Amino acid sequence: MLDLFADEQPWQEPLAPGAVVLRRLAVAGAATLLHDIEAVAAISPFRHMVTPGGYTMSVAMTSCGGLGWTTDDRGYLYSPVDPVTHRPWPPIPEAFHALCHEAAIAAGYPDFQPDACLINRYAPGAKLSLHQDKDEPNLSAPIVSVSLGLPAIFQFGGLQRNDPLKRLMLEHGDVVVWGGESRLFYHGIQLLKPGQHPLTGEYRYNLTFRRASNSE
Ligand code: SIN
Ligand code: FE2
């Protein structure tokens, strides 16, 4: 398929103190990232986790890295072992590391060293309710979040759940980085609309890189 936007250069949009949108940064490497997502999912498959409250999440998830984000009946936790396979999560692929590093530098977090990457898969109708990423013990590290495939509306608020929300469309290849003052800002993804993307079909994928261990 002829891609009229293949030559588009990435650009930056400030989002909040400590937060920036790096538009299209992941477009050039997207095919490799998607291939690597498949390789990770062949080892640790996508699954719909059940929250401690007993609610089955509409987003399918898996992880790679030394630690993976998961749930059990007590709460949310980072675990070195995938509870589905009872084996370690696959390592973070090299192309993931390279993109995350590039994004972290562009956003002003050159020392960010992720040890966990959550992979979210949204089908039409899936959403992620407003939440804070607060299960990480070391909040000095930012979150680097990569969007691939179908577009979705991202909500980004403040430290209080009822703070006003910014709503922005995240498109294929967009990367959002938030840290510093906005590290604990509420955010979420509105219900995914049906569509077809040339690289991902009916899905949207999202990678979020985190520092989940206690060490600096
Ligand atoms: C997340 O908040 O962990 C994911 C956000 C997204 O899918 O863009
Ligand atoms: Fe999040």
Side-chain angles (χ1 to χ4, degrees):
M1 181 177 148
L2 179 66
D3 185 350
L4 297 175
F5 301 101
D7 298 335
E8 202 177 31
Q9 290 302 309
W11 70 97
Q12 303 191 6
E13 295 172 8
L15 177 60
V20 65
V21 187
L22 307 168
R23 294 285 187 190
R24 313 297 191 264
L25 187 70
V27 168
T32 305
L33 299 174
L34 289 163
H35 172 270
D36 288 349
I37 290 172
E38 265 183 49
V40 168
I43 297 169
S44 279
F46 282 103
R47 77 288 308 262
H48 292 272
M49 294 186 198
V50 180
T51 67
Y55 164 81
T56 301
M57 299 179 77
S58 59
V59 180
M61 298 177 171
T62 185
S63 278
C64 54
L67 291 166
W69 187 84
T70 185
T71 60
D72 68 11
D73 48 7
R74 287 159 302 168
Y76 303 105
L77 66 151
Y78 282 99
S79 168
V81 169
D82 176 351
V84 169
T85 64
H86 305 287
R87 295 181 46 80
W89 303 95
I92 297 178
E94 194 40 54
F96 283 27
H97 267 303
L99 172 68
C100 178
H101 189 56
E102 188 183 355
I105 288 174
Y109 302 98
D111 300 328
F112 179 43
Q113 300 215 351
D115 56 10
C117 177
L118 176 66
I119 308 175
N120 295 315
R121 187 185 68 193
Y122 298 75
K127 68 178 170 76
L128 197 60
S129 309
L130 216 53
H131 66 278
Q132 295 169 293
D133 291 359
K134 59 175 184 190
D135 300 318
E136 302 74 28
N138 173 7
L139 293 173
S140 66
I143 302 285
V144 173
S145 167
V146 180
S147 293
L148 297 168
L150 288 183
I153 298 174
F154 182 59
Q155 306 171 314
F156 199 74
L159 281 175
Q160 306 298 325
R161 184 178 283 280
N162 56 7
D163 282 341
L165 296 173
K166 287 185 178 160
R167 288 188 173 78
L168 48 148
M169 184 71 90
L170 292 182
E171 296 190 56
H172 178 66
D174 289 349
V175 180
V176 187
V177 182
W178 63 95
E181 270 184 65
S182 55
R183 175 62 180 74
L184 287 177
F185 279 16
Y186 276 90
H187 58 278
I189 290 285
Q190 287 180 204
L191 207 84
L192 193 82
K193 289 214 177 98
Q196 277 292 326
H197 188 277
L199 292 183
T200 67
E202 62 165 2
Y203 292 117
R204 169 180 187 263
Y205 293 91
N206 167 263
L207 310 173
T208 48
F209 295 91
R210 299 106 186 271
R211 182 81 193 173
S213 70
N214 223 333
S215 54
E216 288 295 314

